[in-house]
Structure formats: structure tokens, C-alpha cells
Amino acid sequence: MQSAMMRPAGLSATRTVAPFRPARIAPVVSRRVAPVVCVAAVEDAPAVVAEPAAVKSGVAKQTFQRGSVHKVRRILDVIRGRPYEDALVLCEYMPYKACETIIKVLMSAAANAKHNQGALKTKLYVSECFADQGPTLKRARPRAQGRAGKILKPTFHLTVKVEERQKHQAAAATILGTGAGGMDRGASQQG
């Protein structure tokens, strides 16, 4: 037995036990009373506001594509936020091999938006585009004195999302003078 000195303060020698309630007995339910509402408040209540229409968009993905993710991100940073047609023209005239893959995925995303959502290609813009690192293929190359040299062949996963530009977004883009809705990267603010 424990003595009173070893027992922590606040604990008594007797413990209270909750009464046993079998599961088959229904729980005690409190009665809920309907709230009293003023008739004038109900009549003046605003009508239910309709939610805005869903944005028409299309997504396309290319996975396990051979190439460096860094080289692809360099191009994606240029086309992000631009209108669909401008992004296509930019990619066509850039001197990078990764542009070929980006053009295919960009055209696929626009076709998905048109076919699945009924979006107009002239109103589309690149809302999201990113490239993630994929698995790296590892190969060996014979080197001097029986050694093997590493050959790493990187891959990436590309995702492009296009959306139809809303009227207020188009107005903001024309006011700011950019297709991306903000300042161009590298532009300086000289006054």
C-alpha cells in the first residue's frame, strides 16, 4: 500500500468511477429548439449569389523525357504567363533542343482545353508550367586501367497547364504592357 506521503498532491485515496452504460441503451439526446427568427430579417435576406463559372483549362504532361531539367526550366521561365500563341512563337525561334518537347506538350494542353472544355485557343495563356527531375539512367564507359567511368543520362517530367484568360485578367495585362500580367523578367524600373 502507498502511504499518504508518496501519493502526489491532489489525489485522494478513493477514486470515482464513471457509471457503466451498456452500448445497447440509447444515448441521452438533448432536445433542440428551433431558433426564433425575425420575419423582417428573412424578407430582407439577399438572394443566393451564384458562383462564377469554372475557368476553362487544359493540362498536358510528358514524363520520363530524356534531357536535363535545368535546360527545360530556362525555357519555361520565359513562356510562363504568356498567351498561348506567343509562347508557341517564342519556343519555335529559341535555339534549344528542349523547345521541341515543350511545343508538343503546349499544343497538347491547348487541344485538351479546346476539346474537353470548349475553350478558344486565342484566349488561352500558360497559367502553369514546370519541370520535375525524373530518374537518372546510369551507364558505364570503359576507362584506362580497367576502370569504369560514370555516364549519367538525366530525365525530366514536364507539366503544362493553359487556362482561358478572363476579362479582368486581360485588362490588367494590357495596362501593365506585358503578356504575363506583370513586369518582364530582367526589365528595370527607370523613371
Side-chain angles (χ1 to χ4, degrees), residues 21 25-33:
R21 177 176 284 264
I25 297 177
V28 178
V29 180
S30 64
R31 299 172 85 192
R32 298 183 81 188
V33 180

Side-chain angles (χ1 to χ4, degrees), residues 84-122:
Y84 164 70
E85 294 169 342
D86 291 355
L88 272 182
V89 170
L90 282 170
C91 285
E92 283 181 17
Y93 290 103
M94 282 188 189
Y96 306 121
K97 183 182 175 187
C99 286
E100 298 169 10
T101 304
I102 293 174
I103 288 173
K104 288 180 183 179
V105 176
L106 187 59
M107 290 175 73
S108 178
N112 289 341
K114 181 181 177 185
H115 183 267
N116 299 337
Q117 306 283 330
L120 297 173
K121 286 189 177 182
T122 55

Side-chain angles (χ1 to χ4, degrees), residues 61-79:
K61 297 178 181 180
Q62 171 71 43
T63 57
F64 302 103
Q65 179 67 37
R66 280 289 314 279
S68 173
V69 70
H70 305 291
K71 295 177 183 178
V72 176
R73 286 178 181 155
R74 166 177 60 187
I75 302 162
L76 294 178
D77 289 340
V78 174
I79 67 169

Side-chain angles (χ1 to χ4, degrees), residues 13 24 26 33 42-43 53-54 79 102 116 128 144 146 150 152 158 160 172:
R24 61 181 165 218
V33 180
V42 174
E43 291 173 359
I79 67 169
I102 293 174
N116 299 337
E128 271 184 66
K150 268 188 185 179
L152 302 176
L158 178 62
V160 176

Side-chain angles (χ1 to χ4, degrees), residues 11-19:
L11 289 180
S12 63
T14 60
R15 292 187 178 181
T16 58
V17 178

Side-chain angles (χ1 to χ4, degrees), residues 53-58 81-88 106 109-111 113-114 117-127 161-171 173 179-180:
V55 178
K56 296 178 182 178
S57 64
R82 295 195 183 264
Y84 164 70
E85 294 169 342
D86 291 355
L88 272 182
L106 187 59
K114 181 181 177 185
Q117 306 283 330
L120 297 173
K121 286 189 177 182
T122 55
K123 291 186 177 181
L124 292 177
Y125 76 102
V126 182
S127 61
K161 181 178 180 182
V162 293
E163 289 182 355
E164 211 172 46
R165 193 176 292 276
Q166 302 299 324
K167 291 179 183 178
H168 64 279
Q169 291 174 334

